[in-house]
């Protein structure tokens, strides 16, 4: 378990990283994000809000039958990328420090690119998000998630070495 406090959109958030991949006892899952690698070993990022890059993902919808379905749908909507080799990495618990009872869990997965499609509008935002692939060593420059982000990317890289 790794804890850190980061700033997100002007608010302080306490993040606690758990390498546990048994998600069955979690109560308030609000996000499912993927650290997705292409064949060259680069990581997929998307930009939906100007200047803000991050891994694709989002919240579960009623039609999603599993957390993996949520991830597949979100990556397709945001990046127009089909994925496979989906493996859970762990999760982080996030608590907004200026709000009581704000605990929620954010699932994180490893995946690989299966197919890159022409880009279309994301139905949630009505825009075509930017997408790019970056070197894994640059991940924390784009995703300023502190110690929890470092633990997450290290585990994703470990899984990548095992999959290849």
């Amino acid at each position: 378990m790794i804890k850190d406090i980061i700033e997100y959109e002007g608010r302080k958030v306490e993040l606690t990283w758990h390498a546990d991949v048994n998600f069955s006892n979690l109560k308030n899952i609000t996000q499912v994000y993927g650290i997705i690698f292409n064949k060259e070993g680069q990581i997929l990022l998307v930009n939906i809000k100007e200047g803000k890059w991050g891994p694709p993902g989002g919240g579960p919808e009623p039609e999603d039958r599993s957390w993996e379905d949520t991830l597949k749908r979100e990556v397709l909507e945001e990046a127009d990328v089909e994925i496979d080799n989906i493996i859970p990495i762990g999760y982080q618990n996030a608590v907004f420090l200026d709000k009581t009872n704000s605990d929620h869990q954010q699932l994180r997965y490893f995946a690989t690119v299966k197919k890159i499609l022409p880009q279309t509008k994301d139905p949630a935002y009505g825009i075509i998000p930017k997408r790019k692939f970056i070197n894994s060593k640059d991940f924390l420059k784009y995703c300023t998630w502190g110690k929890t982000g470092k633990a997450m990317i290290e585990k994703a890289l470990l899984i990548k070495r095992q999959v290849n």
Side-chain angles (χ1 to χ4, degrees):
M1 186 166 56
I2 296 170
K3 282 191 176 211
D4 202 1
I5 295 176
I6 65 163
E7 191 163 311
Y8 176 75
E9 295 184 354
R11 299 169 69 192
K12 291 202 180 301
V13 184
E14 180 183 75
L15 300 176
T16 306
W17 173 253
H18 301 266
D20 182 9
V21 296
N22 179 1
F23 304 146
S24 63
N25 292 326
L26 301 179
K27 302 279 188 247
N28 190 21
I29 297 169
T30 60
Q31 288 184 354
V32 183
Y33 278 61
I35 308 299
I36 299 163
F37 291 87
N38 65 12
K39 288 182 172 104
E40 291 77 29
Q42 298 170 308
I43 297 173
L44 172 65
L45 295 182
V46 294
N47 178 308
I48 295 173
K49 295 179 184 176
E50 193 57 41
K52 251 185 119 102
W53 289 92
E61 297 288 341
E63 69 269 15
D64 298 333
R65 295 184 322 259
S66 67
W67 303 121
E68 292 82 3
D69 281 352
T70 299
L71 182 61
K72 287 179 187 177
R73 178 184 50 75
E74 287 287 349
V75 173
L76 193 58
E77 288 176 358
E78 292 181 357
D80 291 292
V81 171
E82 294 177 0
I83 58 174
D84 56 9
N85 298 315
I86 301 169
I87 300 169
I89 294 172
Y91 70 95
Q92 62 186 19
N93 192 69
V95 179
F96 285 92
L97 297 179
D98 62 350
K99 188 176 176 185
T100 57
N101 299 320
S102 69
D103 287 39
H104 60 278
Q105 291 78 46
Q106 303 169 333
L107 307 185
R108 302 296 187 245
Y109 282 83
F110 165 94
T112 57
V113 171
K114 180 178 177 181
K115 185 175 184 182
I116 298 175
L117 303 168
Q119 288 190 271
T120 60
K121 284 185 181 179
D122 180 325
Y125 296 97
I127 61 166
I128 298 175
K130 296 174 188 170
R131 70 178 175 201
K132 68 177 171 180
F133 289 90
I134 62 160
N135 189 301
S136 61
K137 69 177 175 51
D138 296 327
F139 181 80
L140 293 174
K141 293 176 187 172
Y142 288 92
C143 302
T144 54
W145 297 343
K147 295 176 200 169
T148 61
K150 185 174 189 260
M152 179 188 319
I153 194 66
E154 286 173 354
K155 187 155 181 202
L157 288 166
L158 178 66
I159 292 170
K160 181 184 165 296
R161 286 190 291 275
Q162 293 169 348
V163 168
N164 287 345

